[in-house]
Amino acid sequence: MIRCLAIDDEPLALKQLVNYIHKVPFLELSAQCQSAVEARTFLENDTVDAIFCDINMPDLNGMDFVKSLAVPPLIIFTTAYSEYAVEGFRVNAVDYLLKPFGLQEFQRAAQRLRERIEGACLTEDGHASQTETIFLKTDYRIVNVNIPDIRYIEAMSEYLKVWLDGQSKPIVTLLSMKKMEEFLPNYFMRIHRSYIVNLTKIQEVNKNRVIMDANTYLPIGDLYKETFQKYLSTKFLGRQ
């Protein structure tokens, strides 16, 4: 069972959240709180595996509350304001439920929570499952992106272009390369100050560039060349 804490300052929203938690067999409600201050007091004497947390709350908002925790549990944010999505990504939230959300959306978020926890429990054999989706804010939408579908990521000033399989145009999102690099699984590698590539999508390596397809050639930067060559040597068959 995944022990959960539900936080929302609106009584009806909290009641609905608690009701949804009770409907998911692998979730167990440890406590419900109407403020982040109340939740902090609870956590001083108890622990949970996950927190379902509203963001816009008086006294202490949910985002600042999560950032204040020395060792935060897994977080799923619930809010009526989409502008918090990118900040939620920065604190490595499992999911971001935009109000009003229904039971099906909640169940999908709970399943992602379960996968994250189960993945963390499989590290000893080296086959830990990793988060397979991320949410990116682009324009006025929040887009669910399947991580294995990402071909490469390109830096563009303060924005990133996320290029996906089968898509002629990238997703453009306000995010740093460093934060994206930290979150992606280990089959992604930074090969240049402006490029992160999905290693499984590389078709060819030719001198100082990576060829993703007939029209996409990405440079390998001097600062990243040694690390990339070490990766290649672990996969290379035959004489080098």
Side-chain angles (χ1 to χ4, degrees), residues 12-126:
L12 290 178
L14 182 60
K15 183 178 179 180
Q16 182 191 56
L17 184 58
V18 168
N19 182 45
Y20 285 171
I21 290 173
H22 287 319
K23 289 180 181 295
V24 179
F26 54 83
L27 297 183
E28 177 185 334
L29 183 67
S30 295
Q32 52 182 295
C33 301
Q34 286 191 258
S35 72
V37 175
E38 183 184 346
R40 179 183 283 172
T41 301
F42 170 79
L43 290 175
E44 288 174 357
N45 302 299
D46 209 337
T47 60
V48 293
D49 303 307
I51 297 176
F52 291 87
C53 186
D54 186 23
I55 295 179
N56 256 20
M57 294 186 290
D59 299 325
L60 178 64
N61 74 49
M63 194 69 67
D64 290 339
F65 163 67
V66 170
K67 290 177 180 178
S68 73
L69 299 176
V71 185
L74 295 177
I75 305 295
I76 293 178
F77 284 116
T78 64
T79 182
Y81 301 94
S82 62
E83 61 265 27
Y84 288 111
V86 171
E87 195 172 358
F89 174 74
R90 287 172 179 161
V91 297
N92 201 22
V94 174
D95 211 337
Y96 180 97
L97 289 169
L98 191 61
K99 296 178 181 178
F101 54 86
L103 178 58
Q104 284 190 332
E105 293 170 281
F106 180 86
Q107 288 172 327
R108 284 195 292 269
Q111 183 59 36
R112 291 188 184 102
L113 179 67
R114 186 183 193 179
E115 289 170 358
R116 179 78 69 91
I117 289 176
E118 289 177 348
C121 296
L122 296 174
T123 55
E124 290 186 4
D125 63 4

Side-chain angles (χ1 to χ4, degrees), residues 178-233:
K178 183 176 184 297
K179 181 54 65 176
M180 178 65 87
E181 190 177 14
E182 289 173 355
F183 190 83
L184 290 171
N186 57 14
Y187 54 88
F188 284 84
M189 181 178 290
R190 191 165 184 176
I191 62 166
H192 188 274
R193 63 180 298 179
S194 298
Y195 295 101
I196 296 172
V197 298
N198 183 335
L199 296 167
T200 69
K201 307 289 186 182
I202 294 174
Q203 290 188 1
E204 186 179 331
V205 180
N206 189 331
K207 297 182 179 179
N208 290 324
R209 61 184 183 178
V210 165
I211 300 174
M212 306 300 291
D213 57 48
N215 301 309
T216 308
Y217 297 74
L218 306 179
I220 302 171
D222 291 339
L223 291 176
Y224 306 91
K225 188 178 300 182
E226 183 178 353
T227 301
F228 184 64
Q229 289 297 333
K230 285 181 179 178
Y231 163 76
L232 288 181
S233 68

Side-chain angles (χ1 to χ4, degrees), residues 135-187:
F135 286 84
L136 298 178
K137 185 176 182 182
T138 178
D139 296 325
Y140 299 102
R141 300 177 297 132
I142 299 171
V143 182
N144 187 358
V145 176
N146 190 31
I147 292 177
D149 290 342
I150 298 174
R151 298 177 63 241
Y152 66 96
I153 296 157
E154 179 182 1
M156 182 184 66
S157 186
E158 296 179 346
Y159 292 82
L160 299 181
K161 291 182 178 180
V162 181
W163 295 88
L164 303 175
D165 281 338
Q167 301 293 326
S168 60
K169 294 182 179 181
I171 293 172
V172 179
T173 186
L174 178 62
L175 202 64
S176 71
M177 286 286 273
K178 183 176 184 297
K179 181 54 65 176
M180 178 65 87
E181 190 177 14
E182 289 173 355
F183 190 83
L184 290 171
N186 57 14
Y187 54 88

